[in-house]
Amino acid sequence: MSLFRDDGVVLRAQKLGEADRIITLLTRQHGKVRAVARGVRKTKSKFGARLEPFSHVDVQFFSRGSELVGRGLPLCTQVETIAPYGGSIVTDYGRYTAGTAMLETAERFAENEGEPAVQQYLLLVGGLRTLAAGVHESHLVLDAFLLRSLAVNGYGASFTDCAKCGLEGPNRFFSLQAGGVLCADCRVPGCAVPSPETLVLLGALLSGDWQTADTCEPRYWREGSGLVAAYLQWHLERGIRSMRYVEK
Ligand SMILES: [Zn+2]
């Protein structure tokens, strides 16, 4: 039997029996962790409000086995709130749908329980903080998160230099297979040819250049989001269900 402690973001909370919940978290050191929270659905539970989706929490777990997986789920025995991002996310439809897609994507990229996914964890915390602050368009925050999640998982896209030969950009022909734009010599059949402004927007979102992203004309948002969604879908076997609810 062992106790361990970790920071994490609550991805999901599912009912378990009358009063309990199974909480799914993306943690800093242990990757995805599922744990049982007892009595959280009782009205005076100390845990209840702290273990809602989007919450950034510090949790103490009690594990009955020596392994995280396979000997029954660990129990949450203490929970401290680090940042209750859910408060300002769930009250705004645009933020809520973008945030839900972020949680689902993070879980998909950190599918193996107990396997550390530190960069994905840090991206999620940063993304939720930005989303909750409400200073940028919610769907742009989502697209930035998706592009960076793809990048830390080995699928970084290029939106300027040719993804095949490295020819300095701007280049125009976008290929999902190639992982970004291609030059006229490397282009393959079936490339999309997005607006140059859309490619500038996507490059800015990937690199965190919010000054450029925020001043992009709204008419390029939809084309950019479409390319990000297609690129994400290309690398994940099943699509992200909650993407369909995101307002663009
Ligand atoms: Zn090329």
PDB file of all heavy atoms in Angstrom, residues 176-211:
ATOM      1  N   LEU A 176      -1.510  17.189 -45.525  1.00  0.00           N
ATOM      2  CA  LEU A 176      -1.629  16.515 -44.227  1.00  0.00           C
ATOM      3  C   LEU A 176      -0.532  15.465 -44.082  1.00  0.00           C
ATOM      4  O   LEU A 176       0.118  15.358 -43.044  1.00  0.00           O
ATOM      5  CB  LEU A 176      -2.996  15.829 -44.106  1.00  0.00           C
ATOM      6  CG  LEU A 176      -4.233  16.731 -44.099  1.00  0.00           C
ATOM      7  CD1 LEU A 176      -5.492  15.872 -44.102  1.00  0.00           C
ATOM      8  CD2 LEU A 176      -4.209  17.653 -42.894  1.00  0.00           C
ATOM      9  N   GLN A 177      -0.328  14.685 -45.153  1.00  0.00           N
ATOM     10  CA  GLN A 177       0.668  13.611 -45.120  1.00  0.00           C
ATOM     11  C   GLN A 177       2.064  14.154 -44.850  1.00  0.00           C
ATOM     12  O   GLN A 177       2.838  13.572 -44.098  1.00  0.00           O
ATOM     13  CB  GLN A 177       0.694  12.844 -46.452  1.00  0.00           C
ATOM     14  CG  GLN A 177      -0.564  12.077 -46.781  1.00  0.00           C
ATOM     15  CD  GLN A 177      -1.503  12.885 -47.666  1.00  0.00           C
ATOM     16  OE1 GLN A 177      -1.721  14.075 -47.409  1.00  0.00           O
ATOM     17  NE2 GLN A 177      -2.062  12.239 -48.671  1.00  0.00           N
ATOM     18  N   ALA A 178       2.388  15.287 -45.497  1.00  0.00           N
ATOM     19  CA  ALA A 178       3.736  15.844 -45.372  1.00  0.00           C
ATOM     20  C   ALA A 178       3.920  16.571 -44.036  1.00  0.00           C
ATOM     21  O   ALA A 178       5.036  16.844 -43.634  1.00  0.00           O
ATOM     22  CB  ALA A 178       4.015  16.799 -46.532  1.00  0.00           C
ATOM     23  N   GLY A 179       2.819  16.906 -43.383  1.00  0.00           N
ATOM     24  CA  GLY A 179       2.921  17.617 -42.113  1.00  0.00           C
ATOM     25  C   GLY A 179       3.172  19.100 -42.287  1.00  0.00           C
ATOM     26  O   GLY A 179       3.919  19.699 -41.527  1.00  0.00           O
ATOM     27  N   GLY A 180       2.558  19.691 -43.296  1.00  0.00           N
ATOM     28  CA  GLY A 180       2.689  21.134 -43.441  1.00  0.00           C
ATOM     29  C   GLY A 180       2.704  21.569 -44.895  1.00  0.00           C
ATOM     30  O   GLY A 180       2.246  20.833 -45.779  1.00  0.00           O
ATOM     31  N   VAL A 181       3.253  22.753 -45.114  1.00  0.00           N
ATOM     32  CA  VAL A 181       3.257  23.305 -46.471  1.00  0.00           C
ATOM     33  C   VAL A 181       4.422  22.731 -47.275  1.00  0.00           C
ATOM     34  O   VAL A 181       5.455  22.365 -46.727  1.00  0.00           O
ATOM     35  CB  VAL A 181       3.353  24.852 -46.464  1.00  0.00           C
ATOM     36  CG1 VAL A 181       2.033  25.465 -46.021  1.00  0.00           C
ATOM     37  CG2 VAL A 181       4.516  25.335 -45.609  1.00  0.00           C
ATOM     38  N   LEU A 182       4.204  22.673 -48.596  1.00  0.00           N
ATOM     39  CA  LEU A 182       5.225  22.186 -49.520  1.00  0.00           C
ATOM     40  C   LEU A 182       5.500  23.271 -50.564  1.00  0.00           C
ATOM     41  O   LEU A 182       4.616  24.079 -50.876  1.00  0.00           O
ATOM     42  CB  LEU A 182       4.742  20.912 -50.222  1.00  0.00           C
ATOM     43  CG  LEU A 182       4.517  19.683 -49.319  1.00  0.00           C
ATOM     44  CD1 LEU A 182       3.842  18.565 -50.119  1.00  0.00           C
ATOM     45  CD2 LEU A 182       5.831  19.203 -48.722  1.00  0.00           C
ATOM     46  N   CYS A 183       6.710  23.253 -51.099  1.00  0.00           N
ATOM     47  CA  CYS A 183       7.058  24.198 -52.160  1.00  0.00           C
ATOM     48  C   CYS A 183       6.516  23.670 -53.505  1.00  0.00           C
ATOM     49  O   CYS A 183       6.005  22.552 -53.570  1.00  0.00           O
ATOM     50  CB  CYS A 183       8.573  24.380 -52.228  1.00  0.00           C
ATOM     51  SG  CYS A 183       9.451  22.900 -52.783  1.00  0.00           S
ATOM     52  N   ALA A 184       6.652  24.473 -54.530  1.00  0.00           N
ATOM     53  CA  ALA A 184       6.103  24.099 -55.841  1.00  0.00           C
ATOM     54  C   ALA A 184       6.754  22.814 -56.370  1.00  0.00           C
ATOM     55  O   ALA A 184       6.106  22.031 -57.059  1.00  0.00           O
ATOM     56  CB  ALA A 184       6.304  25.253 -56.829  1.00  0.00           C
ATOM     57  N   ASP A 185       8.027  22.588 -56.048  1.00  0.00           N
ATOM     58  CA  ASP A 185       8.718  21.379 -56.524  1.00  0.00           C
ATOM     59  C   ASP A 185       8.287  20.128 -55.761  1.00  0.00           C
ATOM     60  O   ASP A 185       8.273  19.034 -56.312  1.00  0.00           O
ATOM     61  CB  ASP A 185      10.239  21.536 -56.374  1.00  0.00           C
ATOM     62  CG  ASP A 185      10.798  22.549 -57.354  1.00  0.00           C
ATOM     63  OD1 ASP A 185      10.134  22.785 -58.401  1.00  0.00           O
ATOM     64  OD2 ASP A 185      11.866  23.125 -57.066  1.00  0.00           O
ATOM     65  N   CYS A 186       7.977  20.268 -54.472  1.00  0.00           N
ATOM     66  CA  CYS A 186       7.660  19.105 -53.641  1.00  0.00           C
ATOM     67  C   CYS A 186       6.166  18.801 -53.575  1.00  0.00           C
ATOM     68  O   CYS A 186       5.768  17.770 -53.034  1.00  0.00           O
ATOM     69  CB  CYS A 186       8.171  19.316 -52.211  1.00  0.00           C
ATOM     70  SG  CYS A 186       9.955  19.450 -52.079  1.00  0.00           S
ATOM     71  N   ARG A 187       5.362  19.694 -54.094  1.00  0.00           N
ATOM     72  CA  ARG A 187       3.911  19.523 -53.957  1.00  0.00           C
ATOM     73  C   ARG A 187       3.460  18.170 -54.498  1.00  0.00           C
ATOM     74  O   ARG A 187       4.033  17.636 -55.438  1.00  0.00           O
ATOM     75  CB  ARG A 187       3.142  20.648 -54.652  1.00  0.00           C
ATOM     76  CG  ARG A 187       3.288  20.657 -56.146  1.00  0.00           C
ATOM     77  CD  ARG A 187       2.542  21.810 -56.777  1.00  0.00           C
ATOM     78  NE  ARG A 187       1.099  21.654 -56.671  1.00  0.00           N
ATOM     79  CZ  ARG A 187       0.225  22.365 -57.385  1.00  0.00           C
ATOM     80  NH1 ARG A 187       0.658  23.295 -58.228  1.00  0.00           N
ATOM     81  NH2 ARG A 187      -1.058  22.168 -57.248  1.00  0.00           N
ATOM     82  N   VAL A 188       2.422  17.625 -53.856  1.00  0.00           N
ATOM     83  CA  VAL A 188       1.860  16.340 -54.275  1.00  0.00           C
ATOM     84  C   VAL A 188       0.391  16.554 -54.635  1.00  0.00           C
ATOM     85  O   VAL A 188      -0.205  17.558 -54.227  1.00  0.00           O
ATOM     86  CB  VAL A 188       1.985  15.294 -53.134  1.00  0.00           C
ATOM     87  CG1 VAL A 188       3.439  14.900 -52.920  1.00  0.00           C
ATOM     88  CG2 VAL A 188       1.370  15.805 -51.838  1.00  0.00           C
ATOM     89  N   PRO A 189      -0.202  15.621 -55.389  1.00  0.00           N
ATOM     90  CA  PRO A 189      -1.626  15.773 -55.712  1.00  0.00           C
ATOM     91  C   PRO A 189      -2.465  15.814 -54.432  1.00  0.00           C
ATOM     92  O   PRO A 189      -2.133  15.145 -53.448  1.00  0.00           O
ATOM     93  CB  PRO A 189      -1.958  14.520 -56.527  1.00  0.00           C
ATOM     94  CG  PRO A 189      -0.637  14.036 -57.050  1.00  0.00           C
ATOM     95  CD  PRO A 189       0.371  14.416 -56.012  1.00  0.00           C
ATOM     96  N   GLY A 190      -3.519  16.605 -54.433  1.00  0.00           N
ATOM     97  CA  GLY A 190      -4.432  16.645 -53.287  1.00  0.00           C
ATOM     98  C   GLY A 190      -4.054  17.653 -52.226  1.00  0.00           C
ATOM     99  O   GLY A 190      -4.674  17.681 -51.168  1.00  0.00           O
ATOM    100  N   CYS A 191      -3.053  18.494 -52.494  1.00  0.00           N
ATOM    101  CA  CYS A 191      -2.709  19.536 -51.521  1.00  0.00           C
ATOM    102  C   CYS A 191      -3.834  20.573 -51.444  1.00  0.00           C
ATOM    103  O   CYS A 191      -4.464  20.890 -52.447  1.00  0.00           O
ATOM    104  CB  CYS A 191      -1.441  20.280 -51.953  1.00  0.00           C
ATOM    105  SG  CYS A 191       0.079  19.417 -51.548  1.00  0.00           S
ATOM    106  N   ALA A 192      -4.057  21.097 -50.242  1.00  0.00           N
ATOM    107  CA  ALA A 192      -4.935  22.256 -50.102  1.00  0.00           C
ATOM    108  C   ALA A 192      -4.101  23.500 -50.377  1.00  0.00           C
ATOM    109  O   ALA A 192      -2.885  23.484 -50.192  1.00  0.00           O
ATOM    110  CB  ALA A 192      -5.505  22.309 -48.688  1.00  0.00           C
ATOM    111  N   VAL A 193      -4.765  24.551 -50.869  1.00  0.00           N
ATOM    112  CA  VAL A 193      -4.048  25.809 -51.091  1.00  0.00           C
ATOM    113  C   VAL A 193      -4.738  26.907 -50.283  1.00  0.00           C
ATOM    114  O   VAL A 193      -5.565  27.649 -50.799  1.00  0.00           O
ATOM    115  CB  VAL A 193      -3.999  26.181 -52.594  1.00  0.00           C
ATOM    116  CG1 VAL A 193      -3.079  27.386 -52.806  1.00  0.00           C
ATOM    117  CG2 VAL A 193      -3.501  25.011 -53.427  1.00  0.00           C
ATOM    118  N   PRO A 194      -4.436  26.975 -48.991  1.00  0.00           N
ATOM    119  CA  PRO A 194      -5.108  27.960 -48.144  1.00  0.00           C
ATOM    120  C   PRO A 194      -4.616  29.378 -48.420  1.00  0.00           C
ATOM    121  O   PRO A 194      -3.584  29.567 -49.059  1.00  0.00           O
ATOM    122  CB  PRO A 194      -4.708  27.531 -46.716  1.00  0.00           C
ATOM    123  CG  PRO A 194      -3.670  26.490 -46.838  1.00  0.00           C
ATOM    124  CD  PRO A 194      -3.454  26.159 -48.272  1.00  0.00           C
ATOM    125  N   SER A 195      -5.357  30.345 -47.917  1.00  0.00           N
ATOM    126  CA  SER A 195      -4.926  31.739 -48.026  1.00  0.00           C
ATOM    127  C   SER A 195      -3.601  31.917 -47.287  1.00  0.00           C
ATOM    128  O   SER A 195      -3.410  31.320 -46.222  1.00  0.00           O
ATOM    129  CB  SER A 195      -5.937  32.671 -47.363  1.00  0.00           C
ATOM    130  OG  SER A 195      -7.211  32.466 -47.877  1.00  0.00           O
ATOM    131  N   PRO A 196      -2.724  32.756 -47.833  1.00  0.00           N
ATOM    132  CA  PRO A 196      -1.463  33.042 -47.123  1.00  0.00           C
ATOM    133  C   PRO A 196      -1.720  33.530 -45.691  1.00  0.00           C
ATOM    134  O   PRO A 196      -0.987  33.175 -44.773  1.00  0.00           O
ATOM    135  CB  PRO A 196      -0.824  34.140 -47.977  1.00  0.00           C
ATOM    136  CG  PRO A 196      -1.396  33.947 -49.346  1.00  0.00           C
ATOM    137  CD  PRO A 196      -2.792  33.431 -49.142  1.00  0.00           C
ATOM    138  N   GLU A 197      -2.774  34.317 -45.507  1.00  0.00           N
ATOM    139  CA  GLU A 197      -3.093  34.854 -44.171  1.00  0.00           C
ATOM    140  C   GLU A 197      -3.445  33.733 -43.195  1.00  0.00           C
ATOM    141  O   GLU A 197      -3.146  33.813 -42.008  1.00  0.00           O
ATOM    142  CB  GLU A 197      -4.272  35.833 -44.257  1.00  0.00           C
ATOM    143  CG  GLU A 197      -3.967  37.134 -44.978  1.00  0.00           C
ATOM    144  CD  GLU A 197      -4.153  37.033 -46.493  1.00  0.00           C
ATOM    145  OE1 GLU A 197      -4.311  35.900 -47.024  1.00  0.00           O
ATOM    146  OE2 GLU A 197      -4.133  38.096 -47.153  1.00  0.00           O
ATOM    147  N   THR A 198      -4.102  32.682 -43.697  1.00  0.00           N
ATOM    148  CA  THR A 198      -4.456  31.548 -42.840  1.00  0.00           C
ATOM    149  C   THR A 198      -3.191  30.837 -42.362  1.00  0.00           C
ATOM    150  O   THR A 198      -3.097  30.450 -41.191  1.00  0.00           O
ATOM    151  CB  THR A 198      -5.349  30.560 -43.623  1.00  0.00           C
ATOM    152  OG1 THR A 198      -6.534  31.243 -44.032  1.00  0.00           O
ATOM    153  CG2 THR A 198      -5.734  29.361 -42.763  1.00  0.00           C
ATOM    154  N   LEU A 199      -2.223  30.696 -43.269  1.00  0.00           N
ATOM    155  CA  LEU A 199      -0.971  30.028 -42.900  1.00  0.00           C
ATOM    156  C   LEU A 199      -0.183  30.867 -41.885  1.00  0.00           C
ATOM    157  O   LEU A 199       0.429  30.331 -40.961  1.00  0.00           O
ATOM    158  CB  LEU A 199      -0.135  29.742 -44.143  1.00  0.00           C
ATOM    159  CG  LEU A 199      -0.759  28.703 -45.093  1.00  0.00           C
ATOM    160  CD1 LEU A 199       0.006  28.649 -46.420  1.00  0.00           C
ATOM    161  CD2 LEU A 199      -0.786  27.317 -44.439  1.00  0.00           C
ATOM    162  N   VAL A 200      -0.252  32.180 -42.039  1.00  0.00           N
ATOM    163  CA  VAL A 200       0.401  33.067 -41.061  1.00  0.00           C
ATOM    164  C   VAL A 200      -0.268  32.897 -39.695  1.00  0.00           C
ATOM    165  O   VAL A 200       0.406  32.801 -38.665  1.00  0.00           O
ATOM    166  CB  VAL A 200       0.338  34.545 -41.524  1.00  0.00           C
ATOM    167  CG1 VAL A 200       0.762  35.491 -40.391  1.00  0.00           C
ATOM    168  CG2 VAL A 200       1.228  34.758 -42.742  1.00  0.00           C
ATOM    169  N   LEU A 201      -1.594  32.827 -39.692  1.00  0.00           N
ATOM    170  CA  LEU A 201      -2.335  32.633 -38.432  1.00  0.00           C
ATOM    171  C   LEU A 201      -1.916  31.325 -37.757  1.00  0.00           C
ATOM    172  O   LEU A 201      -1.617  31.299 -36.558  1.00  0.00           O
ATOM    173  CB  LEU A 201      -3.847  32.618 -38.714  1.00  0.00           C
ATOM    174  CG  LEU A 201      -4.741  32.159 -37.551  1.00  0.00           C
ATOM    175  CD1 LEU A 201      -4.657  33.137 -36.379  1.00  0.00           C
ATOM    176  CD2 LEU A 201      -6.194  32.001 -38.010  1.00  0.00           C
ATOM    177  N   LEU A 202      -1.877  30.242 -38.527  1.00  0.00           N
ATOM    178  CA  LEU A 202      -1.551  28.940 -37.932  1.00  0.00           C
ATOM    179  C   LEU A 202      -0.118  28.913 -37.400  1.00  0.00           C
ATOM    180  O   LEU A 202       0.130  28.363 -36.325  1.00  0.00           O
ATOM    181  CB  LEU A 202      -1.768  27.820 -38.963  1.00  0.00           C
ATOM    182  CG  LEU A 202      -3.230  27.638 -39.405  1.00  0.00           C
ATOM    183  CD1 LEU A 202      -3.341  26.530 -40.452  1.00  0.00           C
ATOM    184  CD2 LEU A 202      -4.131  27.330 -38.212  1.00  0.00           C
ATOM    185  N   GLY A 203       0.793  29.525 -38.126  1.00  0.00           N
ATOM    186  CA  GLY A 203       2.177  29.603 -37.657  1.00  0.00           C
ATOM    187  C   GLY A 203       2.250  30.397 -36.350  1.00  0.00           C
ATOM    188  O   GLY A 203       2.991  30.031 -35.430  1.00  0.00           O
ATOM    189  N   ALA A 204       1.468  31.469 -36.270  1.00  0.00           N
ATOM    190  CA  ALA A 204       1.458  32.301 -35.061  1.00  0.00           C
ATOM    191  C   ALA A 204       0.875  31.525 -33.880  1.00  0.00           C
ATOM    192  O   ALA A 204       1.385  31.609 -32.760  1.00  0.00           O
ATOM    193  CB  ALA A 204       0.655  33.575 -35.315  1.00  0.00           C
ATOM    194  N   LEU A 205      -0.176  30.760 -34.127  1.00  0.00           N
ATOM    195  CA  LEU A 205      -0.788  29.975 -33.041  1.00  0.00           C
ATOM    196  C   LEU A 205       0.181  28.903 -32.542  1.00  0.00           C
ATOM    197  O   LEU A 205       0.280  28.661 -31.334  1.00  0.00           O
ATOM    198  CB  LEU A 205      -2.089  29.315 -33.525  1.00  0.00           C
ATOM    199  CG  LEU A 205      -3.249  30.267 -33.822  1.00  0.00           C
ATOM    200  CD1 LEU A 205      -4.415  29.504 -34.430  1.00  0.00           C
ATOM    201  CD2 LEU A 205      -3.681  31.015 -32.567  1.00  0.00           C
ATOM    202  N   LEU A 206       0.900  28.291 -33.463  1.00  0.00           N
ATOM    203  CA  LEU A 206       1.849  27.244 -33.074  1.00  0.00           C
ATOM    204  C   LEU A 206       3.007  27.818 -32.254  1.00  0.00           C
ATOM    205  O   LEU A 206       3.445  27.218 -31.278  1.00  0.00           O
ATOM    206  CB  LEU A 206       2.369  26.533 -34.328  1.00  0.00           C
ATOM    207  CG  LEU A 206       3.429  25.444 -34.124  1.00  0.00           C
ATOM    208  CD1 LEU A 206       2.911  24.331 -33.211  1.00  0.00           C
ATOM    209  CD2 LEU A 206       3.859  24.855 -35.470  1.00  0.00           C
ATOM    210  N   SER A 207       3.453  29.011 -32.628  1.00  0.00           N
ATOM    211  CA  SER A 207       4.629  29.577 -31.942  1.00  0.00           C
ATOM    212  C   SER A 207       4.243  30.449 -30.750  1.00  0.00           C
ATOM    213  O   SER A 207       5.114  30.920 -30.027  1.00  0.00           O
ATOM    214  CB  SER A 207       5.464  30.387 -32.935  1.00  0.00           C
ATOM    215  OG  SER A 207       4.739  31.523 -33.364  1.00  0.00           O
ATOM    216  N   GLY A 208       2.943  30.671 -30.556  1.00  0.00           N
ATOM    217  CA  GLY A 208       2.524  31.491 -29.409  1.00  0.00           C
ATOM    218  C   GLY A 208       2.639  32.982 -29.668  1.00  0.00           C
ATOM    219  O   GLY A 208       2.734  33.772 -28.736  1.00  0.00           O
ATOM    220  N   ASP A 209       2.623  33.369 -30.944  1.00  0.00           N
ATOM    221  CA  ASP A 209       2.678  34.792 -31.301  1.00  0.00           C
ATOM    222  C   ASP A 209       1.246  35.353 -31.292  1.00  0.00           C
ATOM    223  O   ASP A 209       0.608  35.482 -32.329  1.00  0.00           O
ATOM    224  CB  ASP A 209       3.321  34.925 -32.696  1.00  0.00           C
ATOM    225  CG  ASP A 209       3.326  36.357 -33.208  1.00  0.00           C
ATOM    226  OD1 ASP A 209       2.881  37.270 -32.482  1.00  0.00           O
ATOM    227  OD2 ASP A 209       3.776  36.554 -34.352  1.00  0.00           O
ATOM    228  N   TRP A 210       0.768  35.703 -30.099  1.00  0.00           N
ATOM    229  CA  TRP A 210      -0.625  36.140 -29.978  1.00  0.00           C
ATOM    230  C   TRP A 210      -0.875  37.501 -30.598  1.00  0.00           C
ATOM    231  O   TRP A 210      -1.998  37.805 -31.015  1.00  0.00           O
ATOM    232  CB  TRP A 210      -1.054  36.133 -28.499  1.00  0.00           C
ATOM    233  CG  TRP A 210      -1.388  34.752 -28.049  1.00  0.00           C
ATOM    234  CD1 TRP A 210      -0.645  33.956 -27.223  1.00  0.00           C
ATOM    235  CD2 TRP A 210      -2.542  33.975 -28.425  1.00  0.00           C
ATOM    236  NE1 TRP A 210      -1.266  32.737 -27.071  1.00  0.00           N
ATOM    237  CE2 TRP A 210      -2.425  32.730 -27.787  1.00  0.00           C
ATOM    238  CE3 TRP A 210      -3.642  34.225 -29.240  1.00  0.00           C
ATOM    239  CZ2 TRP A 210      -3.382  31.724 -27.934  1.00  0.00           C
ATOM    240  CZ3 TRP A 210      -4.593  33.229 -29.395  1.00  0.00           C
ATOM    241  CH2 TRP A 210      -4.451  31.996 -28.740  1.00  0.00           C
ATOM    242  N   GLN A 211       0.166  38.311 -30.665  1.00  0.00           N
ATOM    243  CA  GLN A 211      -0.019  39.629 -31.276  1.00  0.00           C
ATOM    244  C   GLN A 211      -0.470  39.464 -32.735  1.00  0.00           C
ATOM    245  O   GLN A 211      -1.391  40.137 -33.192  1.00  0.00           O
ATOM    246  CB  GLN A 211       1.291  40.407 -31.208  1.00  0.00           C
ATOM    247  CG  GLN A 211       1.071  41.896 -31.357  1.00  0.00           C
ATOM    248  CD  GLN A 211       2.340  42.675 -31.041  1.00  0.00           C
ATOM    249  OE1 GLN A 211       3.393  42.093 -30.738  1.00  0.00           O
ATOM    250  NE2 GLN A 211       2.242  43.984 -31.126  1.00  0.00           N
TER     251      GLN A 211
END
